Amino acid sequence: MNMLKRRQFLKTTVLATAGLVAARSARAAEARVEIPIYDPIGTISPDLYGHFAEHIGGVIYDGIWVGENSKVPNLGGIRTALVEHMRRIKAPVVRWPGGCFADSYNWRDGIGPRAQRPRRPNFWIVDSWMQGAPDGPQKFEPNEFGTNEFCRFCQLIGAQPYLATNLRGNTARDFDDWVDYCNAPAGKTTLADQRAAAGDRDPFRVRFWGIGNESWGCGGNFTPEEYAMEFRRFTAWVPGFGVPLAFIGSGPNGGDLDWTRRFFARLTERDRGLLGTLYGWALHYYCGTSGKGDAVDFTVDDWYDLLEKATVMDSLIRLHWGAMGEIDRAHRVKLVVDEWGAWHHAGTEINRAFLFGQMSTMRDALIAGLTLDIFNRHADKVAMANVAQLINNLHSLFLAHEDRFVATPNFHVFEMYAAHQGGQSLRTEFSVGNIGAHGGKPASLPALAGSASLHDRRLVLTVVNTSATDAVETEVAVRGAAVKSATGRVLAASDIHAHNTFAEPQAVVTQDVAVKLSGTGLVHRFPAASITRLDLELA
Ligand code: AHR
């Protein structure tokens, strides 16, 4: 179908709002993106490119942890291939041990000699999928991978640990003790000495602490008022041992503004200063598949439907930011989107015990690109984000089983987008139509979306073309500087269902693309169903 027929070119007014209309001229390109370099939104925190690893399915056992005596190449029990790939994407932070698992976890189970650690039923054993799975560490938690192992994993990949405490089952005292175990200098406390005896003399200096997880659901079924009181109790006067502790509150499920409003109201009812105890407010949003819900077998309508659902993240950030601002007028509390991704139905797992172990295709890669671009564009509001989950699970960057390991298309997006980390987020004003109506729904998915960041005289632009069929010739205009030279890299596949497997690990990989300069800017053709990064050297 012809692109012009299928798309509704809306003659968007975004350029007018930026006062840039005068710059438009008659042109052959089908779309245009304007990037003013003089009005940055804020610094893109590297933490927007964070990860999440829960004791669920194949994430920890057979994913990250293979054990020191494994024939699988490992670094102290941690899968070497994973470490190498995590370094390539400059992974900044990893959240652990859950998820719902966190609120059933006693951190003391995971310390001391491994052979003596207790075995417990895993939180997810009650899931109907797991009841049909064979027995193993996914059902009966062996606690081989505990605090020391996790913090060593973080050290190996150069990431900060982000630990989620058990608010449902443990006490505030247990939480204090966990901070003590992680952060106190050896020789100062009994718990620090236990850590040192396990081989980690230097404190882990954990800064990020989640106070429960999904406390509106699996984390205790609290009301926002009850949770606010627990939050106050858990976070009052916790010694950080020289580490400025950053507490992250268990925020809303998707668009639940009531949870946000009522929590902020109760937290501050006696003392507005308590906002200072809250570093971040955790938002969870998964986009779910329509149609059959299969991760790999989907229609073009399913493709557009899910990409459109992914873009809901933008309005969720705006809405919760607005609700937080009703009380936190100065916006000292930032959003932490510590679970995001696509959630498909079961059926594509590489192993029966890997709960939620879905395959990731080009569709998931585009969702990753769209979402990371949204975070970049809200660099002033979002302090951290963690894709769920790292390996063998929802929206994973990797699949692994025994000695086999493969990077999914999502990994390649993270590798391309790592270039944004630490840059100044710039406005990207796209002038392009929406994708036409699909599945009986009106059009609201933009044909192109993206984000840009400035790093001295280098500008990084990432662009997602959501069309399943059509390339889009686009004029890229940088306002405030001329483009001296440019290079490009693209992730694209002729089949929207394309994905990497153990047998075909290179089915979807990035490649270099030539970029054509035009006047002081450039014109680029973004292929159908693709994610592109352009690196522009500015004069
Ligand atoms: O990521 C899987 C689960 O989804 C997490 O454990 C939970 O927090 C969320 O509901």
Side-chain angles (χ1 to χ4, degrees):
M1 205 189 317
N2 178 295
M3 186 180 83
L4 288 171
K5 271 197 215 144
R6 205 168 42 67
R7 292 203 177 126
Q8 299 168 351
F9 275 78
L10 302 175
K11 303 294 179 200
T12 169
T13 55
V14 284
L15 294 180
T17 55
L20 297 166
V21 149
R24 296 188 66 177
S25 58
R27 58 184 179 273
E30 299 157 297
R32 180 177 170 89
V33 52
E34 298 256 3
I35 310 165
I37 64 165
Y38 36 74
D39 183 24
I41 296 165
T43 303
I44 296 176
S45 167
D47 296 342
L48 299 188
Y49 292 82
H51 302 272
F52 170 39
E54 176 170 7
H55 287 243
I56 179 175
V59 178
I60 303 296
Y61 301 105
D62 211 7
I64 300 175
W65 181 253
V66 294
E68 283 169 320
N69 302 322
S70 170
K71 66 177 179 5
V72 179
N74 68 85
L75 298 160
I78 294 162
R79 189 182 283 277
T80 307
L82 176 64
V83 170
E84 288 168 354
H85 279 74
M86 291 297 271
R87 286 181 185 156
R88 272 171 62 183
I89 58 173
K90 301 185 171 58
V93 58
V94 188
R95 176 176 182 243
W96 176 83
C100 294
F101 177 86
D103 273 296
S104 70
Y105 182 62
N106 186 343
W107 67 269
R108 290 175 204 275
D109 289 349
I111 63 168
R114 279 193 206 109
Q116 290 165 28
R117 296 184 193 173
R119 278 169 291 123
R120 312 257 185 225
N122 181 290
F123 169 89
W124 292 99
I125 197 170
V126 293
D127 186 276
S128 56
W129 176 264
M130 287 312 288
Q131 284 171 18
D135 286 351
Q138 287 82 14
K139 283 171 98 165
F140 298 100
E141 172 60 53
N143 282 301
E144 275 179 44
F145 189 84
T147 301
N148 295 66
E149 289 79 10
F150 173 69
C151 289
R152 284 176 207 154
F153 171 55
C154 290
Q155 288 165 353
L156 283 169
I157 63 176
Q160 290 199 65
Y162 164 16
L163 304 186
T165 195
N166 178 344
L167 183 92
R168 181 173 69 92
N170 284 0
T171 64
R173 170 67 185 272
D174 292 317
F175 174 48
D176 288 0
D177 286 350
W178 202 10
V179 178
D180 175 351
Y181 182 83
C182 291
N183 290 356
K188 298 289 184 208
T189 70
T190 302
L191 288 169
D193 289 347
Q194 282 180 30
R195 182 196 68 236
D200 293 293
R201 187 169 174 77
D202 290 339
F204 297 131
R205 298 186 59 78
V206 179
R207 178 169 176 233
F208 297 120
W209 295 91
I211 309 303
N213 168 74
E214 297 194 348
S215 301
W216 38 263
C218 63
N221 288 320
F222 292 107
T223 65
E225 289 78 18
E226 290 164 348
Y227 174 65
M229 291 171 70
E230 290 298 316
F231 180 90
R232 293 198 316 217
R233 209 155 60 80
F234 267 65
T235 57
W237 295 90
V238 185
F241 302 95
V243 178
L245 304 180
F247 299 130
I248 294 161
S250 173
N253 182 18
D256 186 357
L257 292 173
D258 189 54
W259 179 266
T260 293
R261 287 202 172 97
R262 286 169 56 187
F263 171 85
F264 273 72
R266 181 54 65 95
L267 176 72
T268 56
E269 65 186 342
R270 280 194 307 120
D271 178 3
R272 286 213 163 216
L274 285 179
L275 281 171
T277 57
L278 190 58
Y279 168 82
W281 184 232
L283 164 65
H284 288 185
Y285 175 62
Y286 291 97
C287 49
T289 306
S290 61
K292 267 200 314 188
D294 194 274
V296 175
D297 181 10
F298 52 83
T299 65
V300 172
D301 271 349
D302 294 339
W303 160 276
Y304 288 125
D305 189 68
L306 198 61
L307 296 188
E308 201 171 319
K309 283 183 181 159
T311 63
V312 168
M313 181 67 84
D314 187 88
S315 54
L316 292 177
I317 291 170
R318 291 176 198 277
L319 288 170
H320 285 290
W321 187 250
M324 290 154 69
E326 290 165 14
I327 288 186
D328 180 16
R329 302 261 156 71
H331 276 305
R332 57 188 300 174
V333 182
K334 304 294 180 205
L335 279 161
V336 168
V337 187
D338 61 14
E339 287 186 31
W340 68 267
W343 194 320
H344 307 296
H345 292 179
T348 58
E349 305 74 19
I350 56 165
N351 184 290
R352 183 61 184 79
F354 290 2
L355 178 65
F356 307 148
Q358 67 196 29
M359 193 59 75
S360 281
T361 66
M362 276 303 292
R363 180 173 59 162
D364 301 283
L366 264 80
I367 289 168
L370 289 169
T371 307
L372 294 172
D373 283 325
I374 291 170
F375 295 151
N376 288 342
R377 297 200 302 267
H378 290 293
D380 54 335
K381 307 178 188 72
V382 186
M384 188 200 292
N386 310 74
V387 60
Q389 300 197 14
L390 181 61
I391 182 167
N392 289 334
N393 202 261
L394 308 168
H395 216 122
S396 290
L397 278 73
F398 310 102
L399 302 175
H401 179 47
E402 297 173 347
D403 60 351
R404 289 172 298 169
F405 177 87
V406 66
T408 71
N410 302 326
F411 163 80
H412 296 291
V413 176
F414 272 77
E415 191 175 40
M416 279 200 288
Y417 277 59
H420 279 302
Q421 294 186 14
Q424 286 297 308
S425 175
L426 301 176
R427 285 171 220 289
T428 45
E429 312 286 4
F430 281 88
S431 178
V432 63
N434 285 351
I435 292 287
H438 56 92
K441 295 170 75 183
S444 70
L445 177 68
L448 294 181
S451 66
S453 60
L454 190 62
H455 313 248
D456 296 324
R457 301 307 292 172
R458 186 171 58 92
L459 191 153
V460 176
L461 171 67
T462 44
V463 175
V464 178
N465 179 353
T466 61
S467 170
T469 49
D470 300 309
V472 183
E473 182 99 338
T474 306
E475 191 182 338
V476 177
V478 179
R479 294 282 156 235
V483 181
K484 212 163 58 170
S485 63
T487 56
R489 203 151 174 83
V490 66
L491 185 72
S494 51
D495 179 3
I496 57 174
H497 310 93
H499 56 279
N500 295 331
T501 61
F502 295 140
E504 269 195 276
Q506 306 282 312
V508 183
V509 289
T510 53
Q511 46 189 320
D512 290 333
V513 277
V515 184
K516 203 169 57 186
L517 295 192
S518 163
T520 55
L522 58 92
V523 174
H524 192 74
R525 192 171 170 79
F526 295 101
S530 69
I531 304 116
T532 303
R533 186 184 93 201
L534 300 181
D535 293 276
L536 280 48
E537 280 306 325
L538 304 181

